[in-house]
Amino acid sequence: RDPDFFARTYGIRGIEEKTKLVFLGRLTPDKGWEFTLRSLTLWADDPQNASLKDNVAILIAGDGDLRTRIMHELQPLGLSVHLLGRIDPAAVPPLLANSDIHITTSEKETLGLTILEAFAAGIPAIAPAEGGVTTHIRDGENGLLFEPQNAQSFGQALTRLVSDRRLQHQLGKQAQQDVAAYDWESVVLTLLSTWQEQILR
C-alpha cells in the first residue's frame, strides 16, 4: 500500500484517510448499477450515516453506457466519487491493494473473478447472496453478503464494514488466506486431476 497512490496515479487528493470503496467492471445495467444507485442514494440520505458518508471515497473503475448517469446521480449525495474510466488489467492489482472494500451488486457472476482479485489484494468484499460469488464469500468471515435487491440489507452491510476498520482488516486477512487455493499451480493440478478421472472412466 502506498499512501500517495491515488494522488500520484490518478491525481486524486484528500482521500488518504477515507475508507475507499472500489467498484470494478462495466458500467452497464447487467452489473447491477440500477440497484447500486438506488441503494447508495438511500444510504447517503440516511441521517444516521452522515459521519460515515464524510469518511468514504467511492472509486469506480470501468466504462459503459451508464457512466454519465452514475456521476449525475451520485455527485449530489455529498459523497466523494471518482470515476477512473476503463483501466489496464495491470492497473487492477495496485488499485485493489490501495482500496479498503470491494463492492459488487451484480447477481449474474458465474465465478466472480473480481472477488478473487480483491481477496488476493487482502481486502474484503460486499456482494449479493446470489450467483457464483457465494462460492467464495463466507458471510462475516472473508466478506459480507446482502439479500439480493434489498437496499436495506445492502446498507446494513455497508455501514457495518465502513464503520469498523478492525473488521475490514480481519475479513481482508482471511480473504487473502482463502484465495491461496486459487493460485495457478493449484488450479492446474485440480484440472489435470479432473481430466485424469474422466479419462479413466
Side-chain angles (χ1 to χ4, degrees):
R1 292 175 70 96
D2 174 2
D4 297 321
F5 173 78
F6 287 101
R8 183 167 44 79
T9 309
Y10 296 103
I12 301 171
R13 303 185 183 280
I15 67 170
E16 296 83 4
E17 301 301 320
K18 293 180 182 290
T19 298
K20 289 167 275 294
L21 314 178
V22 61
F23 292 79
L24 184 63
R26 297 189 308 276
L27 309 187
T28 51
D30 61 300
K31 290 298 183 180
W33 276 102
E34 293 281 347
F35 173 77
T36 303
L37 293 173
R38 176 164 51 90
S39 299
L40 284 177
T41 298
L42 291 172
W43 184 82
D45 285 343
D46 187 339
Q48 294 184 1
N49 296 324
S51 60
L52 293 178
K53 184 172 75 170
D54 293 338
N55 198 39
V56 160
I58 296 177
L59 303 152
I60 301 172
D63 210 349
D65 296 340
L66 296 178
R67 178 186 173 91
T68 302
R69 181 183 168 191
I70 289 168
M71 201 63 186
H72 177 74
E73 292 195 22
L74 293 184
Q75 270 189 330
L77 301 178
L79 295 166
S80 175
V81 181
H82 308 275
L83 272 72
L84 309 181
R86 185 182 182 280
I87 65 173
D88 189 271
V92 171
L95 171 63
L96 290 169
N98 285 281
S99 299
D100 299 298
I101 302 168
H102 171 54
I103 300 179
T104 180
T105 57
S106 173
E107 298 176 17
K108 300 178 181 179
E109 301 301 314
T110 52
L111 174 64
L113 182 59
T114 61
I115 299 293
L116 295 179
E117 291 175 323
F119 281 9
I123 66 172
I126 295 176
E130 187 76 35
V133 298
T134 58
T135 304
H136 315 304
I137 298 179
R138 301 194 315 281
D139 188 40
E141 295 184 36
N142 59 13
L144 295 180
L145 295 171
F146 62 88
E147 183 182 336
Q149 296 303 308
N150 186 325
Q152 183 179 9
S153 178
F154 170 85
Q156 289 170 346
L158 182 58
T159 296
R160 181 182 175 193
L161 206 46
V162 166
S163 62
D164 192 339
R165 286 276 190 178
R166 184 177 178 182
L167 182 61
Q168 290 173 34
H169 294 311
Q170 177 185 325
L171 299 188
K173 184 177 180 180
Q174 184 61 54
Q176 199 165 44
Q177 292 175 6
D178 291 344
V179 81
Y182 293 90
D183 68 29
W184 280 114
E185 185 174 347
S186 298
V187 170
V188 170
L189 288 175
T190 300
L191 182 60
L192 289 174
S193 175
T194 302
W195 284 345
Q196 288 168 347
E197 288 176 9
Q198 295 304 313
I199 289 170
L200 292 172
R201 286 186 175 185

